[in-house]
Amino acid sequence: MDIILLRPTIKETLWGGRRLIDDFGMQTDGDNAAEAWLLSCHKDGPSYAVGGEYDGKALADIIEKEGREVLGTHNADINGFPVLIKIIDACDRLSVQVHPGDEYARRVENENGKTEAWFVLSADDGAELIYGVNKNMTREQFAASIENGTLLENVNRVKVKPGDVVFIPSGMLHAIGAGILLAEVQQSSNTTYRVFDYDRRDKNGNKRELHVKKATDVVTLTKTDADFAPEGEEKQLCGAAKRLLTHCRYFSMTELKADGNFEDIADETSFVSLLVLDGSGEISANGKTYALKKGSSVFIPASFGKYMLRGSFRALETRT
């Protein structure tokens, strides 16, 4: 199986901006582009091959044809595809929400839970996130704060800057604030329990649904400390530098800065995803070369072996 370049599904929402269109050159018929699902086998937003023998085919269909070996030995025992990778452009505040863990999500929603991590790409002055609660609470107190409108008095508001890394385990209350552009790696799931949405209405004039009972079932209500520093130090390599941003049992996220020629490898344990955040270059292997630009998403199958990166660009590397 060759390296595959991917085209995303673009999502329009009431809080989305236009940077994915104007800065990344992504195509959409919508008025905004809130999210680009750049590596996805989820039914709610698949990504598609661009060029090659699978041009126009959904990544999920390609993997079904090629066999699950392309996902790597780390993914031999999982159901479905392990991760979903996005860029999110928040022109306005997102709702305050929480995601369930695997056991609850599989039992109640028939899909995976959702642990995720964010890599902040840009942030307006004063931009902030909601990250967990600022005191220990009971589930009864949490539900009551939603009903009586005092929930925001009990959350952590944390200012963020480019380069921050925000790890959000399932159960963590959270929300992206206005003026933030970030890359997200998450379990392949689209289950979100919304608990506060600033009394907004959609384009049809309807308030969006809240999920108070389910959120109360799964939320973590111990006081949360916020540390958004990357997990690792930058390591200089021949032709590139790498820095581990964060890792968990579902995925690892690494910032890759290529400057010249850099050789890397996809071994038998995992596929490799590269998401170009800025700059340009190319990836080549087996006599084939693929151009890379800002917003390019690349899937490299497990056991592919060596590949060469050239150019001057920054990318998010994800392995599972």
Side-chain angles (χ1 to χ4, degrees), residues 4-10 37-40 42-51 54-62 297:
I4 297 176
L5 297 185
L6 295 167
R7 169 176 58 84
T9 290
I10 304 295
W37 291 26
L38 288 144
L39 179 76
S40 173
H42 200 284
K43 60 181 176 58
D44 293 342
S47 51
Y48 301 89
V50 178
Y54 290 120
D55 184 43
K57 299 289 187 183
L59 179 59
D61 294 336
I62 298 170
S297 176

Side-chain angles (χ1 to χ4, degrees), residues 3-9 24 26 36-41 46-51 59 81 83-87 184 271-277 283 290-300 313-318:
I3 292 170
I4 297 176
L5 297 185
L6 295 167
R7 169 176 58 84
T9 290
F24 286 81
M26 296 183 184
W37 291 26
L38 288 144
L39 179 76
S40 173
C41 290
S47 51
Y48 301 89
V50 178
L59 179 59
F81 194 71
V83 294
L84 198 167
I85 300 177
K86 308 173 180 176
I87 297 179
E184 174 180 285
F271 65 89
V272 180
S273 164
L274 294 176
L275 170 57
V276 179
L277 304 174
I283 182 171
Y290 309 83
L292 301 176
K293 62 180 182 179
K294 187 175 182 177
S296 291
S297 176
V298 182
F299 177 85
I300 307 166
F313 61 89
R314 185 169 63 111
L316 178 67
E317 175 190 285
T318 302

Side-chain angles (χ1 to χ4, degrees), residues 162-178:
D164 282 348
V165 182
V166 185
F167 181 72
I168 303 168
S170 59
M172 175 73 75
L173 196 70
H174 61 278
I176 303 172

Side-chain angles (χ1 to χ4, degrees), residues 14 197 199-209:
L14 55 83
D197 196 37
D199 204 31
R200 289 183 294 202
R201 298 178 184 270
D202 63 22
K203 58 186 177 183
N204 297 316
N206 301 313
K207 289 185 179 181
R208 296 199 295 173
E209 181 183 5

Side-chain angles (χ1 to χ4, degrees), residues 174-186:
H174 61 278
I176 303 172
I180 297 173
L181 179 76
L182 57 81
E184 174 180 285
V185 180
Q186 58 161 91

Side-chain angles (χ1 to χ4, degrees), residues 99-310:
H99 308 301
D102 287 336
E103 188 281 328
Y104 188 96
R106 290 167 183 165
R107 173 168 51 86
V108 176
E109 308 291 351
N110 195 33
E111 76 165 357
N112 293 325
K114 189 174 175 183
T115 286
E116 61 190 14
W118 299 334
F119 184 38
V120 178
L121 305 181
S122 69
D124 293 348
D125 290 343
E128 63 182 18
L129 304 173
I130 288 174
Y131 187 78
V133 292
N134 58 24
K135 63 182 180 182
N136 295 338
M137 301 177 70
T138 66
R139 298 194 184 279
E140 292 76 17
Q141 289 171 331
F142 175 74
S145 74
I146 297 171
E147 297 299 334
N148 63 28
T150 62
L151 175 66
L152 295 189
E153 299 174 10
N154 303 311
V155 301
N156 288 317
R157 298 174 182 268
V158 187
K159 287 184 170 53
V160 291
K161 62 185 182 304
D164 282 348
V165 182
V166 185
F167 181 72
I168 303 168
S170 59
M172 175 73 75
L173 196 70
H174 61 278
I176 303 172
I180 297 173
L181 179 76
L182 57 81
E184 174 180 285
V185 180
Q186 58 161 91
Q187 288 179 266
S188 184
S189 171
N190 199 27
T191 296
T192 294
Y193 299 147
R194 191 182 301 118
V195 296
F196 186 80
D197 196 37
Y198 306 96
D199 204 31
R200 289 183 294 202
R201 298 178 184 270
D202 63 22
K203 58 186 177 183
N204 297 316
N206 301 313
K207 289 185 179 181
R208 296 199 295 173
E209 181 183 5
L210 301 182
H211 312 94
V212 178
K213 172 61 171 63
K214 290 180 177 179
T216 303
D217 285 345
V218 304
V219 68
T220 299
L221 292 172
T222 52
K223 183 179 178 181
T224 308
D225 295 322
D227 180 1
F228 297 163
E231 188 172 321
E233 298 294 328
E234 186 170 277
K235 296 181 179 180
Q236 296 296 321
L237 306 167
C238 182
K242 282 191 175 186
R243 177 176 58 168
L244 177 65
L245 300 176
T246 191
H247 81 286
C248 63
R249 65 191 180 101
Y250 301 109
F251 53 79
S252 67
M253 295 169 58
T254 299
E255 182 183 32
L256 167 68
K257 296 178 181 177
D259 186 15
N261 297 335
F262 174 65
E263 186 178 84
D264 213 338
I265 188 169
D267 64 19
E268 73 282 356
T269 62
S270 172
F271 65 89
V272 180
S273 164
L274 294 176
L275 170 57
V276 179
L277 304 174
D278 53 53
S280 62
E282 60 186 29
I283 182 171
S284 60
N286 301 333
K288 297 181 180 179
T289 298
Y290 309 83
L292 301 176
K293 62 180 182 179
K294 187 175 182 177
S296 291
S297 176
V298 182
F299 177 85
I300 307 166
S303 298
F304 181 82
K306 294 179 181 178
Y307 53 91
M308 179 66 71
L309 299 171
R310 298 182 183 87

